[in-house]
Amino acid sequence: MVKAAILHEGDNNDTNDKMLIRSLLTYLELDLDCIHFVGFGSKSDFFKTDNLKYSLLKQQVEAGQINKILFIVDSDYKENDAKYGGFENTENLLKQTINELGFQYIACFYIVCNPVTKEGYLESLIFASLPDTKRECIERFIKCSEMDKRNHKSIIYGLCKIGYPYSPIPHYNFDHSHFDKLKAELKKLFA
């Protein structure tokens, strides 16, 4: 029954990325049973075309078990990783990888980030989708706190979850326009 694969960062357990994707598929009333989730570990693993996960995926494509693939990868920050970080680097590397694998006719991608700055990761997308007053409140708290800013992802996610437990975390604000492109990419898997 599975016909589409979603490749995401992290492992195959219920990571924050996978939970967001599953929640959005449910929100869109798309059949989760038609999706094969593949956790790729770290971002750099996506760009290793000799990765065993790609060999297994190619077999599934050739057997007709998978006919569409969606790569979902964080943008991150170019200043933190000159090779893999940043929207443009990620986009170019994904295109190159998809072509090298021969998936150019069945694969597309979505780069997770703050859609305005084109930087960041899942937490940046969630944070950007908060109403201005809530986002500004968290920004002020982070600025004046003595929290270790190097753990920005966890701080943002944790503060959103604790401070606003019902919206958008764990119930993401999928009606926000920042989620429109991701929703469109997920719907393409079922077209």
Side-chain angles (χ1 to χ4, degrees), residues 6 24-25 30 70 182-190:
I6 295 178
L24 187 49
L25 287 165
L30 299 172
L70 176 60
L182 179 55
K183 289 189 286 192
E185 293 299 338
L186 290 170
K187 287 177 185 177
K188 278 192 221 174
L189 296 175
F190 293 85

Side-chain angles (χ1 to χ4, degrees), residues 76-86 121 150:
D76 296 318
Y77 295 89
K78 189 172 185 175
E79 61 268 14
N80 294 343
D81 185 343
K83 183 174 183 178
Y84 301 116
Y121 20 72
R150 291 174 293 176

Side-chain angles (χ1 to χ4, degrees), residues 118-130:
K118 299 282 191 199
E119 295 181 320
Y121 20 72
L122 170 68
E123 293 78 6
S124 306
L125 172 62
I126 294 167
F127 189 61
S129 71
L130 284 172

Side-chain angles (χ1 to χ4, degrees), residues 17 36 53-54 62 66 75 82 85 114 116 159 161 164 170 173:
D17 291 19
H36 174 59
K53 292 180 182 187
Y54 284 132
E62 290 167 1
I66 300 288
S75 170
N114 174 326
V116 176
L159 287 173
K161 189 174 181 178
Y164 310 108
N173 187 9

Side-chain angles (χ1 to χ4, degrees), residues 85-117:
F87 192 91
E88 189 175 309
N89 284 347
T90 303
E91 180 178 43
N92 291 335
L93 287 165
L94 282 169
K95 288 177 181 177
Q96 178 183 337
T97 301
I98 289 168
N99 286 333
E100 285 179 22
L101 292 167
F103 290 159
Q104 61 269 30
Y105 300 109
I106 62 169
C108 54
F109 59 85
Y110 177 78
I111 301 172
V112 185
C113 61
N114 174 326
V116 176
T117 65

